[in-house]
Amino acid sequence: MSVSSASDAMADRLEAILLVGGQGTRLRPLTISTPKPLLPTAGVPFLAHQLAKAAAAGVGRVVLATAYQAPMFADHFGDGSVFGLEICYAHEDSPLGTGGAIRNAAGALRSGPDQPVIILNGDVLSGHDLSAQLDIHAKHDAAVTLHLVEVDDPARFGCVPTDVDGRVTAFLEKTPVPVTNRINAGCYVFRRNVIEAIPAGVVTSVERETFPALIRSGAVVMGYAESAYWLDVGTPEAFVQGSCDLVLGCLASPALAGSPGVPGQALLLPGAVVEAGARVGGGTVVSAGAVVGAGAVVEASVLFEGARVGPGASVHRSVLGRDSSIAAGAVVDGAVIGDCAVVGEGNELRNGIRLWPGVELGPTAVRFSTDA
Ligand code: GTP
């Protein structure tokens, strides 16, 4: 374990820790070459949306808690100055889980023991009001204040009941019998000295260990419920949805302020080519060097750099990895095509199919579908 910078001085600026060390297994094969927080989302790395949101809420200093493919983060974000932030890096030699990662990153904080520190999961798009969450935290002198959202399927998340004053009464991670549809939205405000109570150097989950233990001990854990736009982009379907929503303007991201083509039906990045008669819409992003051939239809999809869609092909709600290729007339619907993979003529890939990087499907007119 190592921490790139540390200081005992009080922070003069609000600090945040961003958790970006997960392997992103649900987004494979996209995350084989690129960690989830760096996947291009509406034309910029996903994390750029969170960094810009943090900066807009008054955060001045960010610690990125890295593990998986750590060096790529510093290559992308450097010292953070392009975001008007100071970014430093806390690396785990082996992943410490969400709690262990927060504890490890705390070594790089400068905040005093009673100051608030914002913690963000590195895979959440949220339009909620961070300043209002900080206000609730301060008003109740809370140990931790959790952002909560209401969802239709709470069993997939951490279920978080509160009392009438908004104080959290339990934290039930992925329970089959949720007692409320309010769930943990992955953005926390911690009092700095509460982070120090997490054991150092030990794999720990804030969701399964830290939050339940705090509540049992009688610590004040508050919920901040807000129904603004919220999406966990951990699955391919959600990743596509998040990128399209940003392009369509369903969520305004400060990282896209002034971006021509946002909001719009499609975002064509410099160097993208859309040939005559092709239709591109539904919030699609066509990245640099990507080509949509004549007469092709591309709806609600993400085309990474150099991806090619042949004439007359059809691509819906899918991700086409870097330098992948879809032949003329092929159909890709609800699929993930890995980097450099090739889908030959006549193939139909539907309903959650994932093609691994470099795989080549010849012109076999085969239909692949998880419905089969
Ligand atoms: P899946 O493998 O698809 O579940 O994705 P994930 O690896 O991102 O895990 P999950 O969605 O549960 O993680 C929530 C957030 O915590 C993400 O932003 C992860 O990057 C981050 N995270 C998870 N585990 C660790 C860890 O051990 N260390 C660090 N630094 N971050 C982590």
Side-chain angles (χ1 to χ4, degrees), residues 126-168:
S126 174
H128 85 284
D129 184 346
L130 255 177
S131 303
Q133 185 178 354
L134 283 159
D135 287 347
I136 293 284
H137 183 77
K139 184 173 158 209
H140 294 269
D141 192 21
V144 178
T145 301
L146 311 174
H147 173 214
L148 308 179
V149 290
E150 294 192 356
V151 296
D152 295 333
D153 53 348
R156 291 199 301 121
F157 301 92
C159 168
V160 187
T162 57
D163 67 16
V164 286
D165 300 320
R167 184 165 171 172
V168 174

Side-chain angles (χ1 to χ4, degrees), residues 19-26 36 65-66 92 95-98 101 121-123:
L19 299 175
V20 295
Q23 297 211 358
T25 51
R26 290 167 297 158
K36 179 166 56 174
T66 62
E92 298 141 50
L96 289 171
T98 48
N121 275 358
D123 54 0

